[in-house]
Amino acid sequence: MQREKWGSKIGFILAAAGSAIGLGNIWKFPYIAGANGGAAFVFLYLISIILIGVPVLFAEILIGRTTNRNPVGAFKKLSNGSPFWTSIGGLGVLAGFLILSYYAVVAGWAVGYVVEAARGVFYDFPTPDAAGRHFNALIGNVYWIVGYFALFMAITMAFVLFGVQKGIEKGSKIMMPILFILLIVLVVRGLTLDGASEGMRFLWNPDWSKVTGQTILLALGQAFFTLSLGMGAMLTYGSYMSKKDNIPISGLEIVALDTAIAILAGIAIFTAVFATGQSPNAGPGLIFHTLPVVFTKMPGGYIFSILFFILLTIAAVTSAISLLEVITAYFVDEKGWHRKKAVMIFGGITFLLGLPSALSYNVMADFRIFGLNFFDFIDFISANILLPVGGLFISIFVAYFWGFDKAIPNLKQGAENLFDKNHWLESYWKVFLKFFAPVLILIVLLSSIGII
Ligand code: PFF
């Protein structure tokens, strides 16, 4: 059977941007920026994207496009079957499982909140406390949390089931423009509120006193998570790409879209938060505790609350699709399975694996591993350990094992003109992938496990 390919260049860009743009941009980025000095964090985040994000993104897409394989097959092929490098690919597939299992739980909250918003619940929350109590009651309800988690998994599986072109590409081509339009509508609403300028000042005037070593690490970690790096999602999407396409340009377009969406989400959220007199540093609860109060106070809050949670759901679906595709591609490429069988079986297993995460907020609330509940434990292991480890080995693999002599000619395919005109590009990629990326990732990794 012939391996699938993207139908068009824009199809790849929208699908990859769909993977990158997710809960990380709309839920995580604003609350981390809010709690870490606003503009100062944004500045560090942008630096991290340029120093690490871009070079590692090029490397991942390149490995995929060169081999036309899933992460395991790709490393196996380029390392001539080395068991060590093959298992690095395996780590990516494992990380895909783990991330999807809890990511889909949070995404389920977004789906559930579309329904809450449509029911008009957000008319009546004078304080974040009241909204927080409502949120806790919902996630404390096993049926609510598991039901929406299951619904979200079913939606994700449906897209992946239809394959690369008919499922992922078509879905991204429809959902991503809707996401852009919804976000623009919300940004305009935010900017036209009385008192919006205070939110803008918060986002653009750095408060350096809030910056600590920890802030830099958060910015680096966020750069990684938001670009879907370190577990082979971009590698797998790159594997369906044509050799005629330009990796650096496509990569930069993906980064630009992802960064723009994070910043626009920040504008939409902080203008509204400041205009209604809320606090920007509510932490992970910003969206679920603070925004309901914003919607209660904002003119047109009913409709904007529905639009906001639809936006969040769409962003999460296109990211979850890429996580499930990594697992599916592995079983299709390496084990010769039918896509349908792989999606049904591993979508199902991911759901079972996610159950303890969903139950961490109710019946399993007292269950602890290293002092963390199951949800936080899986989040920590995958986002703080497996992704940086993956990114570290991807940069080491390209720079030191596969080698630039082989990698550069492949990277230049489809981008000959660009490299002819911009000699610095080759040196930038080499230097950053060889030195900056591995060293900085290692620092993040060691600090996140408390060694430094
Ligand atoms: N980039 C996604 C987000 O920002 O929400 C999360 C993610 C998706 C991480 C896919 C890793 C991945 F492979």
Side-chain angles (χ1 to χ4, degrees):
M1 224 169 58
Q2 187 140 30
R3 203 166 182 276
E4 282 199 86
K5 277 203 173 311
W6 302 112
S8 61
K9 199 180 104 183
I10 185 76
F12 163 69
I13 290 174
L14 288 179
S19 168
I21 297 164
L23 296 172
N25 303 58
I26 297 165
W27 166 63
K28 234 178 183 178
F29 173 77
Y31 90 68
I32 302 185
N36 289 279
F41 176 84
V42 176
F43 178 76
L44 293 171
Y45 164 79
L46 293 176
I47 300 269
S48 313
I49 297 266
I50 297 167
L51 292 186
I52 302 190
V54 172
V56 176
L57 177 66
F58 288 3
E60 272 209 31
I61 300 177
L62 176 66
I63 295 177
R65 190 185 68 166
T66 305
T67 55
N68 295 127
R69 290 277 187 289
N70 64 90
V72 174
F75 275 102
K76 197 183 206 171
K77 194 165 168 184
L78 290 181
S79 71
N80 295 322
S82 141
F84 174 76
W85 288 111
T86 307
S87 60
I88 293 296
L91 216 58
V93 177
L94 179 71
F97 262 122
L98 296 179
I99 296 179
L100 183 57
S101 77
Y102 75 89
Y103 196 85
V105 173
V106 182
W109 302 347
V111 182
Y113 263 59
V114 174
V115 177
E116 292 300 290
R119 283 176 49 210
V121 170
F122 300 135
Y123 261 160
D124 195 20
F125 288 121
T127 63
D129 265 1
R133 273 197 299 277
H134 183 72
F135 176 68
N136 289 335
L138 290 177
I139 64 171
N141 178 339
V142 176
Y143 297 105
W144 191 86
I145 203 168
V146 173
Y148 282 114
F149 167 43
L151 177 62
F152 181 83
M153 276 307 297
I155 298 172
T156 304
M157 286 162 69
F159 281 103
V160 181
L161 211 61
F162 280 101
V164 175
Q165 278 196 18
K166 293 208 192 90
I168 304 175
E169 181 167 352
K170 206 165 176 192
S172 306
K173 277 184 167 165
I174 297 170
M175 286 189 281
M176 294 312 285
I178 297 178
L179 182 145
F180 298 142
I181 293 168
L182 285 181
L183 189 55
I184 300 287
V185 170
L186 290 163
V187 167
V188 171
R189 170 69 285 194
L191 286 173
T192 49
L193 287 169
D194 279 342
S197 56
E198 222 177 304
M200 291 302 276
R201 220 169 302 140
F202 175 74
L203 260 180
W204 301 122
N205 289 351
D207 173 1
W208 295 107
S209 71
K210 292 257 173 58
V211 172
T212 61
Q214 191 61 26
T215 322
I216 300 173
L217 299 173
L218 280 173
L220 277 166
Q222 175 64 9
F224 236 74
F225 188 79
T226 192
L227 289 175
S228 305
L229 296 177
M231 52 137 301
M234 289 300 179
L235 186 158
T236 305
Y237 275 13
S239 77
Y240 303 124
M241 196 182 181
S242 150
K243 299 271 193 281
K244 289 194 211 95
D245 285 342
N246 189 321
I247 294 180
I249 295 285
S250 307
L252 289 176
E253 283 170 359
I254 295 161
V255 172
L257 283 172
D258 183 70
T259 308
I261 296 291
I263 292 188
L264 287 174
I267 294 177
I269 290 171
F270 289 123
T271 48
V273 163
F274 278 89
T276 53
Q278 305 296 308
S279 152
N281 51 8
L286 186 66
I287 277 186
F288 297 102
H289 296 187
T290 308
L291 286 191
V293 185
V294 170
F295 294 130
T296 301
K297 296 190 175 174
M298 172 200 270
Y302 175 70
I303 194 76
F304 289 107
S305 65
I306 301 176
L307 295 182
F308 179 82
F309 288 107
I310 293 178
L311 168 79
L312 192 63
T313 302
I314 291 180
V317 171
T318 51
S319 297
I321 288 174
S322 72
L323 290 160
L324 187 56
E325 179 60 21
V326 172
I327 307 164
T328 305
Y330 167 67
F331 284 94
V332 171
D333 288 348
E334 302 302 305
K335 310 284 175 200
W337 285 24
H338 274 292
R339 170 170 285 272
K340 197 169 161 195
K341 176 176 164 193
V343 171
M344 295 311 283
I345 292 186
F346 289 97
I349 293 181
T350 310
F351 174 72
L352 293 179
L353 188 65
L355 279 179
S357 287
L359 299 181
S360 296
Y361 294 92
N362 35 69
V363 292
M364 278 175 61
D366 294 331
F367 178 81
R368 299 279 152 184
I369 312 173
F370 298 116
L372 299 172
N373 70 24
F374 192 84
F375 180 104
D376 292 334
F377 177 72
I378 298 288
D379 177 22
F380 180 78
I381 292 283
S382 47
N384 294 15
I385 306 218
L386 293 179
L387 291 189
V389 166
L392 178 66
F393 282 114
I394 285 164
S395 36
I396 292 177
F397 180 78
V398 173
Y400 298 95
F401 193 86
W402 187 27
F404 288 118
D405 289 350
K406 290 194 197 117
I408 294 274
N410 281 297
L411 185 66
K412 283 188 177 169
Q413 263 189 330
E416 292 84 359
N417 266 344
L418 180 76
F419 278 95
D420 283 349
K421 288 198 192 114
N422 300 283
H423 289 290
W424 60 270
L425 190 62
E426 185 175 329
S427 327
Y428 155 82
W429 191 58
K430 282 181 173 167
V431 171
F432 282 70
L433 207 58
K434 210 166 173 174
F435 304 110
F436 284 92
V439 170
L440 291 174
I441 297 171
L442 200 62
I443 295 174
V444 179
L445 191 60
L446 293 179
S447 85
S448 74
I449 47 181
I451 295 184
I452 52 173

